[in-house]
mmCIF file of all heavy atoms in Angstrom:
data_model
loop_
_atom_site.group_PDB
_atom_site.id
_atom_site.type_symbol
_atom_site.label_atom_id
_atom_site.label_comp_id
_atom_site.label_asym_id
_atom_site.label_seq_id
_atom_site.Cartn_x
_atom_site.Cartn_y
_atom_site.Cartn_z
ATOM 1 N N ALA A 842 13.436 -27.920 21.793
ATOM 2 C CA ALA A 842 12.227 -27.424 21.130
ATOM 3 C C ALA A 842 12.512 -26.144 20.360
ATOM 4 O O ALA A 842 12.054 -25.971 19.218
ATOM 5 C CB ALA A 842 11.128 -27.185 22.167
ATOM 6 N N VAL A 843 13.276 -25.238 20.950
ATOM 7 C CA VAL A 843 13.589 -23.977 20.285
ATOM 8 C C VAL A 843 14.491 -24.225 19.083
ATOM 9 O O VAL A 843 14.299 -23.632 18.016
ATOM 10 C CB VAL A 843 14.248 -22.999 21.267
ATOM 11 C CG1 VAL A 843 14.662 -21.713 20.552
ATOM 12 C CG2 VAL A 843 13.301 -22.677 22.425
ATOM 13 N N ARG A 844 15.449 -25.098 19.237
ATOM 14 C CA ARG A 844 16.360 -25.398 18.126
ATOM 15 C C ARG A 844 15.597 -26.014 16.951
ATOM 16 O O ARG A 844 15.829 -25.652 15.792
ATOM 17 C CB ARG A 844 17.475 -26.343 18.603
ATOM 18 C CG ARG A 844 18.588 -26.548 17.579
ATOM 19 C CD ARG A 844 19.682 -27.428 18.166
ATOM 20 N NE ARG A 844 20.399 -26.748 19.245
ATOM 21 C CZ ARG A 844 21.396 -25.915 19.051
ATOM 22 N NH1 ARG A 844 21.795 -25.610 17.818
ATOM 23 N NH2 ARG A 844 22.009 -25.358 20.092
ATOM 24 N N ARG A 845 14.670 -26.927 17.231
ATOM 25 C CA ARG A 845 13.864 -27.533 16.159
ATOM 26 C C ARG A 845 13.045 -26.471 15.441
ATOM 27 O O ARG A 845 12.909 -26.496 14.206
ATOM 28 C CB ARG A 845 12.938 -28.613 16.729
ATOM 29 C CG ARG A 845 13.622 -29.933 17.051
ATOM 30 C CD ARG A 845 12.608 -31.040 17.265
ATOM 31 N NE ARG A 845 11.680 -30.719 18.349
ATOM 32 C CZ ARG A 845 11.881 -31.036 19.621
ATOM 33 N NH1 ARG A 845 12.991 -31.675 19.984
ATOM 34 N NH2 ARG A 845 10.988 -30.729 20.551
ATOM 35 N N ALA A 846 12.486 -25.541 16.194
ATOM 36 C CA ALA A 846 11.675 -24.488 15.583
ATOM 37 C C ALA A 846 12.516 -23.597 14.680
ATOM 38 O O ALA A 846 12.081 -23.210 13.585
ATOM 39 C CB ALA A 846 11.003 -23.660 16.678
ATOM 40 N N LEU A 847 13.721 -23.274 15.117
ATOM 41 C CA LEU A 847 14.606 -22.448 14.294
ATOM 42 C C LEU A 847 15.040 -23.191 13.034
ATOM 43 O O LEU A 847 15.068 -22.614 11.932
ATOM 44 C CB LEU A 847 15.831 -22.032 15.098
ATOM 45 C CG LEU A 847 15.615 -20.937 16.154
ATOM 46 C CD1 LEU A 847 16.826 -20.822 17.047
ATOM 47 C CD2 LEU A 847 15.301 -19.594 15.486
ATOM 48 N N GLU A 848 15.367 -24.455 13.182
ATOM 49 C CA GLU A 848 15.771 -25.248 12.016
ATOM 50 C C GLU A 848 14.642 -25.328 10.996
ATOM 51 O O GLU A 848 14.874 -25.236 9.790
ATOM 52 C CB GLU A 848 16.186 -26.647 12.465
ATOM 53 C CG GLU A 848 17.500 -26.678 13.241
ATOM 54 C CD GLU A 848 17.785 -28.038 13.858
ATOM 55 O OE1 GLU A 848 16.857 -28.887 13.881
ATOM 56 O OE2 GLU A 848 18.912 -28.247 14.342
ATOM 57 N N GLU A 849 13.422 -25.469 11.483
ATOM 58 C CA GLU A 849 12.259 -25.516 10.597
ATOM 59 C C GLU A 849 12.096 -24.192 9.852
ATOM 60 O O GLU A 849 11.773 -24.157 8.661
ATOM 61 C CB GLU A 849 11.010 -25.805 11.437
ATOM 62 C CG GLU A 849 9.713 -25.872 10.657
ATOM 63 C CD GLU A 849 8.539 -26.181 11.566
ATOM 64 O OE1 GLU A 849 8.258 -25.368 12.480
ATOM 65 O OE2 GLU A 849 7.902 -27.238 11.375
ATOM 66 N N ASP A 850 12.339 -23.077 10.553
ATOM 67 C CA ASP A 850 12.128 -21.761 9.964
ATOM 68 C C ASP A 850 13.259 -21.351 9.020
ATOM 69 O O ASP A 850 13.029 -20.680 8.006
ATOM 70 C CB ASP A 850 11.991 -20.722 11.084
ATOM 71 C CG ASP A 850 11.073 -19.570 10.704
ATOM 72 O OD1 ASP A 850 10.194 -19.767 9.837
ATOM 73 O OD2 ASP A 850 11.224 -18.485 11.284
ATOM 74 N N LEU A 851 14.477 -21.765 9.335
ATOM 75 C CA LEU A 851 15.630 -21.365 8.524
ATOM 76 C C LEU A 851 15.751 -22.166 7.240
ATOM 77 O O LEU A 851 16.342 -21.688 6.261
ATOM 78 C CB LEU A 851 16.913 -21.503 9.349
ATOM 79 C CG LEU A 851 17.110 -20.431 10.421
ATOM 80 C CD1 LEU A 851 18.217 -20.822 11.375
ATOM 81 C CD2 LEU A 851 17.410 -19.090 9.775
ATOM 82 N N GLY A 852 15.217 -23.374 7.217
ATOM 83 C CA GLY A 852 15.335 -24.186 6.018
ATOM 84 C C GLY A 852 16.790 -24.481 5.691
ATOM 85 O O GLY A 852 17.644 -24.561 6.580
ATOM 86 N N LEU A 853 17.105 -24.630 4.415
ATOM 87 C CA LEU A 853 18.463 -24.977 3.995
ATOM 88 C C LEU A 853 19.300 -23.764 3.618
ATOM 89 O O LEU A 853 20.524 -23.847 3.548
ATOM 90 C CB LEU A 853 18.402 -25.944 2.805
ATOM 91 C CG LEU A 853 17.746 -27.300 3.081
ATOM 92 C CD1 LEU A 853 17.703 -28.126 1.799
ATOM 93 C CD2 LEU A 853 18.499 -28.048 4.168
ATOM 94 N N ALA A 854 18.648 -22.623 3.392
ATOM 95 C CA ALA A 854 19.381 -21.453 2.916
ATOM 96 C C ALA A 854 19.404 -20.300 3.910
ATOM 97 O O ALA A 854 19.991 -19.258 3.638
ATOM 98 C CB ALA A 854 18.783 -20.966 1.601
ATOM 99 N N GLY A 855 18.750 -20.453 5.055
ATOM 100 C CA GLY A 855 18.737 -19.378 6.022
ATOM 101 C C GLY A 855 17.782 -18.271 5.647
ATOM 102 O O GLY A 855 16.943 -18.411 4.749
ATOM 103 N N ASP A 856 17.895 -17.139 6.321
ATOM 104 C CA ASP A 856 16.986 -16.012 6.119
ATOM 105 C C ASP A 856 17.455 -15.190 4.913
ATOM 106 O O ASP A 856 18.203 -14.226 5.038
ATOM 107 C CB ASP A 856 16.960 -15.156 7.394
ATOM 108 C CG ASP A 856 15.927 -14.042 7.328
ATOM 109 O OD1 ASP A 856 15.342 -13.831 6.245
ATOM 110 O OD2 ASP A 856 15.724 -13.378 8.353
ATOM 111 N N ILE A 857 16.981 -15.554 3.743
ATOM 112 C CA ILE A 857 17.453 -14.887 2.536
ATOM 113 C C ILE A 857 16.948 -13.443 2.450
ATOM 114 O O ILE A 857 17.575 -12.597 1.814
ATOM 115 C CB ILE A 857 17.054 -15.668 1.268
ATOM 116 C CG1 ILE A 857 15.539 -15.827 1.152
ATOM 117 C CG2 ILE A 857 17.718 -17.060 1.271
ATOM 118 C CD1 ILE A 857 15.093 -16.474 -0.155
ATOM 119 N N THR A 858 15.837 -13.143 3.103
ATOM 120 C CA THR A 858 15.318 -11.772 3.079
ATOM 121 C C THR A 858 16.202 -10.840 3.904
ATOM 122 O O THR A 858 16.641 -9.787 3.421
ATOM 123 C CB THR A 858 13.884 -11.732 3.627
ATOM 124 O OG1 THR A 858 13.078 -12.649 2.903
ATOM 125 C CG2 THR A 858 13.302 -10.324 3.501
ATOM 126 N N ALA A 859 16.448 -11.194 5.172
ATOM 127 C CA ALA A 859 17.277 -10.347 6.022
ATOM 128 C C ALA A 859 18.682 -10.205 5.453
ATOM 129 O O ALA A 859 19.263 -9.111 5.456
ATOM 130 C CB ALA A 859 17.339 -10.921 7.438
ATOM 131 N N ASN A 860 19.226 -11.304 4.912
ATOM 132 C CA ASN A 860 20.583 -11.247 4.363
ATOM 133 C C ASN A 860 20.667 -10.372 3.123
ATOM 134 O O ASN A 860 21.706 -9.762 2.852
ATOM 135 C CB ASN A 860 21.070 -12.662 4.037
ATOM 136 C CG ASN A 860 21.311 -13.479 5.298
ATOM 137 O OD1 ASN A 860 21.495 -12.930 6.377
ATOM 138 N ND2 ASN A 860 21.298 -14.799 5.154
ATOM 139 N N ALA A 861 19.564 -10.285 2.393
ATOM 140 C CA ALA A 861 19.566 -9.474 1.180
ATOM 141 C C ALA A 861 19.307 -7.995 1.468
ATOM 142 O O ALA A 861 19.884 -7.117 0.823
ATOM 143 C CB ALA A 861 18.507 -10.001 0.210
ATOM 144 N N VAL A 862 18.447 -7.721 2.420
ATOM 145 C CA VAL A 862 17.959 -6.358 2.626
ATOM 146 C C VAL A 862 18.760 -5.594 3.680
ATOM 147 O O VAL A 862 18.941 -4.377 3.562
ATOM 148 C CB VAL A 862 16.467 -6.404 3.021
ATOM 149 C CG1 VAL A 862 15.941 -5.018 3.394
ATOM 150 C CG2 VAL A 862 15.639 -7.002 1.889
ATOM 151 N N ILE A 863 19.255 -6.286 4.705
ATOM 152 C CA ILE A 863 19.912 -5.615 5.834
ATOM 153 C C ILE A 863 21.427 -5.664 5.653
ATOM 154 O O ILE A 863 22.002 -6.737 5.447
ATOM 155 C CB ILE A 863 19.531 -6.293 7.167
ATOM 156 C CG1 ILE A 863 18.004 -6.382 7.304
ATOM 157 C CG2 ILE A 863 20.135 -5.539 8.343
ATOM 158 C CD1 ILE A 863 17.300 -5.056 7.275
ATOM 159 N N PRO A 864 22.106 -4.534 5.757
ATOM 160 C CA PRO A 864 23.569 -4.525 5.608
ATOM 161 C C PRO A 864 24.250 -5.352 6.697
ATOM 162 O O PRO A 864 23.821 -5.349 7.858
ATOM 163 C CB PRO A 864 23.935 -3.037 5.751
ATOM 164 C CG PRO A 864 22.672 -2.289 5.492
ATOM 165 C CD PRO A 864 21.565 -3.164 5.963
ATOM 166 N N ALA A 865 25.290 -6.054 6.332
ATOM 167 C CA ALA A 865 26.074 -6.800 7.311
ATOM 168 C C ALA A 865 26.664 -5.824 8.325
ATOM 169 O O ALA A 865 27.112 -4.730 7.969
ATOM 170 C CB ALA A 865 27.178 -7.581 6.610
ATOM 171 N N GLY A 866 26.652 -6.200 9.582
ATOM 172 C CA GLY A 866 27.213 -5.356 10.622
ATOM 173 C C GLY A 866 26.249 -4.337 11.199
ATOM 174 O O GLY A 866 26.558 -3.684 12.205
ATOM 175 N N HIS A 867 25.067 -4.190 10.603
ATOM 176 C CA HIS A 867 24.080 -3.239 11.123
ATOM 177 C C HIS A 867 23.519 -3.761 12.440
ATOM 178 O O HIS A 867 23.261 -4.951 12.594
ATOM 179 C CB HIS A 867 22.954 -3.048 10.105
ATOM 180 C CG HIS A 867 22.010 -1.939 10.458
ATOM 181 N ND1 HIS A 867 20.961 -2.098 11.334
ATOM 182 C CD2 HIS A 867 21.962 -0.642 10.047
ATOM 183 C CE1 HIS A 867 20.309 -0.957 11.444
ATOM 184 N NE2 HIS A 867 20.897 -0.053 10.673
ATOM 185 N N ARG A 868 23.331 -2.849 13.402
ATOM 186 C CA ARG A 868 22.774 -3.221 14.692
ATOM 187 C C ARG A 868 21.487 -2.447 14.953
ATOM 188 O O ARG A 868 21.320 -1.314 14.484
ATOM 189 C CB ARG A 868 23.783 -2.947 15.824
ATOM 190 C CG ARG A 868 25.020 -3.829 15.753
ATOM 191 C CD ARG A 868 26.008 -3.478 16.870
ATOM 192 N NE ARG A 868 25.431 -3.664 18.191
ATOM 193 C CZ ARG A 868 25.419 -4.823 18.842
ATOM 194 N NH1 ARG A 868 25.949 -5.917 18.277
ATOM 195 N NH2 ARG A 868 24.888 -4.917 20.048
ATOM 196 N N SER A 869 20.589 -3.056 15.713
ATOM 197 C CA SER A 869 19.302 -2.426 16.012
ATOM 198 C C SER A 869 18.874 -2.724 17.443
ATOM 199 O O SER A 869 19.376 -3.651 18.084
ATOM 200 C CB SER A 869 18.206 -2.938 15.071
ATOM 201 O OG SER A 869 18.460 -2.604 13.728
ATOM 202 N N THR A 870 17.918 -1.939 17.893
ATOM 203 C CA THR A 870 17.192 -2.225 19.134
ATOM 204 C C THR A 870 15.719 -2.358 18.797
ATOM 205 O O THR A 870 15.159 -1.520 18.074
ATOM 206 C CB THR A 870 17.393 -1.110 20.172
ATOM 207 O OG1 THR A 870 18.763 -1.083 20.564
ATOM 208 C CG2 THR A 870 16.526 -1.349 21.404
ATOM 209 N N VAL A 871 15.112 -3.416 19.293
ATOM 210 C CA VAL A 871 13.687 -3.655 19.069
ATOM 211 C C VAL A 871 13.019 -3.876 20.424
ATOM 212 O O VAL A 871 13.694 -4.188 21.418
ATOM 213 C CB VAL A 871 13.431 -4.863 18.152
ATOM 214 C CG1 VAL A 871 14.025 -4.625 16.774
ATOM 215 C CG2 VAL A 871 14.002 -6.146 18.763
ATOM 216 N N VAL A 872 11.723 -3.698 20.456
ATOM 217 C CA VAL A 872 10.971 -3.988 21.683
ATOM 218 C C VAL A 872 9.903 -5.025 21.382
ATOM 219 O O VAL A 872 9.310 -5.031 20.299
ATOM 220 C CB VAL A 872 10.325 -2.720 22.282
ATOM 221 C CG1 VAL A 872 11.393 -1.734 22.725
ATOM 222 C CG2 VAL A 872 9.353 -2.067 21.310
ATOM 223 N N MET A 873 9.691 -5.892 22.345
ATOM 224 C CA MET A 873 8.562 -6.812 22.292
ATOM 225 C C MET A 873 7.510 -6.260 23.238
ATOM 226 O O MET A 873 7.771 -6.096 24.437
ATOM 227 C CB MET A 873 8.984 -8.224 22.692
ATOM 228 C CG MET A 873 9.924 -8.869 21.689
ATOM 229 S SD MET A 873 10.165 -10.653 21.955
ATOM 230 C CE MET A 873 11.083 -10.636 23.491
ATOM 231 N N ALA A 874 6.336 -5.954 22.693
ATOM 232 C CA ALA A 874 5.290 -5.311 23.491
ATOM 233 C C ALA A 874 3.973 -6.066 23.366
ATOM 234 O O ALA A 874 3.630 -6.602 22.304
ATOM 235 C CB ALA A 874 5.108 -3.863 23.044
ATOM 236 N N ALA A 875 3.235 -6.104 24.458
ATOM 237 C CA ALA A 875 1.921 -6.749 24.464
ATOM 238 C C ALA A 875 0.922 -5.877 23.718
ATOM 239 O O ALA A 875 0.893 -4.653 23.911
ATOM 240 C CB ALA A 875 1.461 -6.977 25.897
#
Side-chain angles (χ1 to χ4, degrees):
V843 176
R844 189 177 292 276
R845 283 195 301 270
L847 285 169
E848 290 171 348
E849 179 179 62
D850 211 25
L851 286 167
L853 297 178
D856 186 352
I857 59 174
T858 305
N860 291 339
V862 174
I863 307 301
H867 189 277
R868 294 178 61 85
S869 297
T870 295
V871 298
V872 296
M873 292 192 291

